[in-house]
C-alpha cells in the first residue's frame, strides 16, 4: 500500500465531569464522549526519503512538531524503527481550538493510518497507550463512538448500544479559549452542578432521546460562561430554535444543540450564524462506528451511515 485516506471525526461531550486532581496536576475526568459525522480528511503517503512532510489547507496551522499529527508520525517512526518517511495532508473541516478534539482526532488518524500503511503488528490497546502520550483525548479518538472516558482520559468503556441518532448544530463563538487556563481556573470544591453520568449512561442504554438531553452537563461551563456570556446566549437561542438541549463541548467555546428534526437543525444553524455573526457553524449528526459483534449493515440502518470513521 502506497497511501491511505482516513476520516478523522470530531467529538462532542454529552457529559464532562471533573472528579479530582492528581498529585502531578492532571485533572481526573468522567465524560461521555460522542463522535459527530464532521471529519477532517487525513491522507498519508509513503516517501522514500526519511522525515515527515505535513501540509494542510489552512495556511496558518503549524505543519511542524507543533502539529499533533506530525508528532503522531514521529512517535510511530521511533516506536517501530521505520526508516521510510511519510507525507501527510490534512484537509481541515473541524473548527480549530473549539473543544471538538480536532487536533487529537488528526493525531489518532495518523496513528491508526500508519499502523495500516506499514502493516505494523500493534494492538488497539498499545496504540491507545501511545496516543495518551500525545494528548488526553487521543485514546478516545482511536476508540471512537459512544464511550465513557475516565482517569485522565485513558480508561475507556464502550457504551452499548451507542447513542441513538441526533442532528447536531455546532456553533463556535468567535472567541479563543485556552483549554489549559479553563482547567487552571476551575475551583473543584465550589462546583455544585456535577452531571449525572450514571443517569446519562442509563438514558443511552435505554435509547431515550429525551432523557439523554435532560442528563447533559459540563462542569467547565462554570468557568467559561462568566468569562464569555455569548456561550450562555447561544445555548438559550438554540433552545428557542427547537434544540432538545444545548451545551458547551469540552473546554469550549463551541456550543452544540441536539435536534430530532434535520430541517429545524439547519434553520437554527442559519439563524444563529446570522444573529451572532459567527464564522463557524456546522450542521452534522451523531456518528457511531460499527463495533465488533455488530453487523455493519445493522449499524448503517440505525445511523444512516455505511462508511467507517477511520477507514
Ligand atoms: P480538545 O477538544 O481536545 O481540547 P480542541 O478542539 O479544543 O481540542 P484543537 O482543534 O485540537 O483544539 O486545537 C488546539 C490547538 O492545537 C490549536 O491551537 C492548534 O494550533 C494546535 N494543533 C496542533 N495540531 C493540530 C491539528 N492537527 N489540527 C488542529 N489544531 C492543531
Amino acid at each position: 500500500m502506497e497511501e491511505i485516506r482516513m476520516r478523522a471525526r470530531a467529538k462532542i461531550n454529552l457529559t464532562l465531569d471533573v472528579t479530582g486532581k492528581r498529585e502531578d496536576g492532571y485533572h481526573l475526568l468522567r465524560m461521555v464522549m460522542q463522535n459527530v459525522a464532521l471529519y477532517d480528511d487525513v491522507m498519508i503517503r509513503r516517501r522514500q526519503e526519511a522525515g515527515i512532510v505535513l501540509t494542510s489547507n489552512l495556511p496558518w496551522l503549524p505543519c511542524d512538531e507543533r502539529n499533533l499529527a506530525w508528532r503522531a508520525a514521529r512517535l510511530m517512526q521511533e516506536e517501530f524503527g521505520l526508516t521510510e518517511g511519510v507525507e501527510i495532508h490534512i484537509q481541515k473541516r473541524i473548527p480549530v481550538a473549539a473543544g471538538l478534539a480536532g487536533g487529537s482526532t488528526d493525531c489518532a488518524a495518523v496513528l491508526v493510518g500508519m499502523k495500516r500503511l506499514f502493516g505494523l503488528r500493534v494492538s488497539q490497546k498499545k496504540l491507545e497507550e501511545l496516543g495518551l502520550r500525545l494528548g488526553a483525548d487521543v485514546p478516545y479518538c482511536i476508540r471512537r463512538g459512544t464511550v465513557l472516558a475516565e482517569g485522565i482520559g485513558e480508561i475507556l468503556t464502550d457504551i452499548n448500544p451507542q447513542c441513538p441518532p441526533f442532528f447536531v448544530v455546532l456553533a463556535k463563538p468567535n472567541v479563543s479559549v485556552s483549554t489549559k487556563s479553563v482547567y487552571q481556573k476551575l475551583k473543584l470544591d465550589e462546583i455544585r452542578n456535577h452531571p449525572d453520568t450514571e443517569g446519562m449512561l442509563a438514558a443511552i442504554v435505554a435509547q431515550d432521546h429525551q432523557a439523554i438531553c435532560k442528563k447533559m452537563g459540563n462542569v467547565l461551563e462554570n468557568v467559561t460562561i462568566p468569562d464569555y456570556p455569548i456561550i450562555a446566549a447561544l445555548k438559550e437561542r438554540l433552545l428557542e430554535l427547537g434544540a432538545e438541549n444545548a451545551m458547551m463541548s469540552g473546554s469550549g467555546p463551541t456550543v452544540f444543540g441536539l435536534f430530532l428534526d434535520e430541517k429545524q437543525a439547519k434553520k437554527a444553524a442559519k439563524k444563529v450564524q446570522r444573529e451572532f455573526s459567527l464564522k463557524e457553524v456546522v450542521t452534522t449528526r451523531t456518528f457511531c462506528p460499527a463495533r465488533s459483534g455488530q453487523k455493519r449493515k445493522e449499524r448503517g440502518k440505525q445511523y444512516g451511515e455505511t462508511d467507517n470513521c477511520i477507514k
Side-chain angles (χ1 to χ4, degrees), residues 11 61-62 66-69 90 92 95-104 106 137 179 251:
K11 64 88 187 156
L61 195 71
R66 288 168 294 168
N67 195 304
L68 276 176
I90 304 176
K92 285 228 59 103
V96 175
L100 300 171
S104 306
D106 294 346
D137 282 345
T179 302
S251 56

Side-chain angles (χ1 to χ4, degrees), residues 6 72 103-113 127 138 140-142 310:
M6 312 286 289
S104 306
T105 195
D106 294 346
C107 177
V110 170
L111 296 174
V112 178
L127 221 48
V138 180
Y140 165 72
C141 292
I142 294 173
I310 291 179

Side-chain angles (χ1 to χ4, degrees), residues 15-300:
T15 61
L16 192 163
D17 198 9
V18 181
T19 57
K21 207 173 173 183
R22 290 198 326 199
E23 278 181 7
D24 58 10
Y26 279 103
H27 283 91
L28 292 166
L29 306 168
R30 229 172 160 231
M31 346 182 246
V32 177
M33 318 273 272
Q34 175 61 48
N35 280 125
V36 291
L38 176 70
Y39 63 88
D40 290 343
D41 275 308
V42 179
M43 189 276 296
I44 314 166
R45 186 179 293 147
R46 286 171 183 255
R47 80 198 267 277
Q48 297 210 312
E49 309 84 72
I52 300 155
V53 178
L54 194 148
T55 52
S56 95
N57 60 319
L58 301 181
W60 44 268
L61 195 71
C63 284
D64 49 21
E65 67 275 7
R66 288 168 294 168
N67 195 304
L68 276 176
W70 192 100
R71 298 230 288 273
R74 189 176 59 185
L75 183 60
M76 291 300 273
Q77 288 177 334
E78 284 171 358
E79 193 72 20
F80 298 98
L82 304 175
T83 50
E84 263 178 274
V86 283
E87 214 177 283
I88 300 170
H89 181 73
I90 304 176
Q91 187 74 23
K92 285 228 59 103
R93 292 195 194 84
I94 303 171
V96 175
L100 300 171
S104 306
T105 195
D106 294 346
C107 177
V110 170
L111 296 174
V112 178
M114 283 183 69
K115 167 194 157 138
R116 298 199 186 149
L117 188 61
F118 291 95
L120 305 171
R121 292 171 67 90
V122 48
S123 67
Q124 165 135 340
K125 189 162 173 283
K126 171 75 183 165
L127 221 48
E128 289 176 5
E129 280 167 22
L130 289 175
L132 186 67
R133 292 193 211 163
L134 300 170
D137 282 345
V138 180
Y140 165 72
C141 292
I142 294 173
R143 184 74 67 96
R144 300 174 293 127
T146 312
V147 171
L148 171 67
E150 295 171 288
I152 58 165
E154 83 288 16
I155 307 169
L156 302 178
T157 310
D158 290 352
I159 313 302
N160 284 310
Q162 301 190 67
C163 184
F166 282 99
F167 295 97
V168 184
V169 173
L170 303 172
K172 186 188 170 210
N174 306 332
V175 295
S176 290
V177 176
S178 143
T179 302
K180 206 173 158 195
S181 80
V182 171
Y183 278 100
Q184 275 169 352
K185 277 191 182 172
L186 184 71
K187 294 196 180 82
L188 256 185
D189 41 353
E190 286 176 16
I191 290 173
R192 300 282 167 267
N193 55 346
H194 287 278
D196 174 8
T197 311
E198 300 309 322
M200 174 59 83
L201 296 176
I204 293 170
V205 170
Q207 301 283 284
D208 182 340
H209 287 85
Q210 302 302 332
I212 290 169
C213 291
K214 258 195 210 139
K215 296 292 179 186
M216 281 162 52
N218 180 349
V219 294
L220 301 182
E221 286 185 346
N222 289 299
V223 178
T224 51
I225 287 183
D227 285 349
Y228 305 101
I230 187 175
I231 293 173
L234 261 174
K235 284 175 59 168
E236 205 181 304
R237 190 64 183 125
L238 283 169
L239 288 174
E240 282 168 8
L241 293 169
E244 300 298 313
N245 202 355
M247 194 176 79
M248 184 181 80
S249 183
S251 56
T254 301
V255 172
F256 68 91
L258 297 186
F259 290 78
L260 295 175
D261 181 72
E262 186 173 19
K263 269 196 195 142
Q264 205 171 23
K266 286 187 170 159
K267 226 168 139 184
K270 262 195 191 153
K271 283 209 162 164
V272 292
Q273 178 155 33
R274 206 178 47 233
E275 291 170 7
F276 291 81
S277 308
L278 302 179
K279 292 196 192 93
E280 293 177 287
V281 178
V282 180
T283 307
T284 180
R285 55 185 158 174
T286 49
F287 178 86
C288 297
R291 292 244 166 96
S292 50
Q294 186 189 18
K295 286 193 191 108
R296 194 166 282 235
K297 228 176 164 185
E298 237 172 65
R299 201 259 335 183

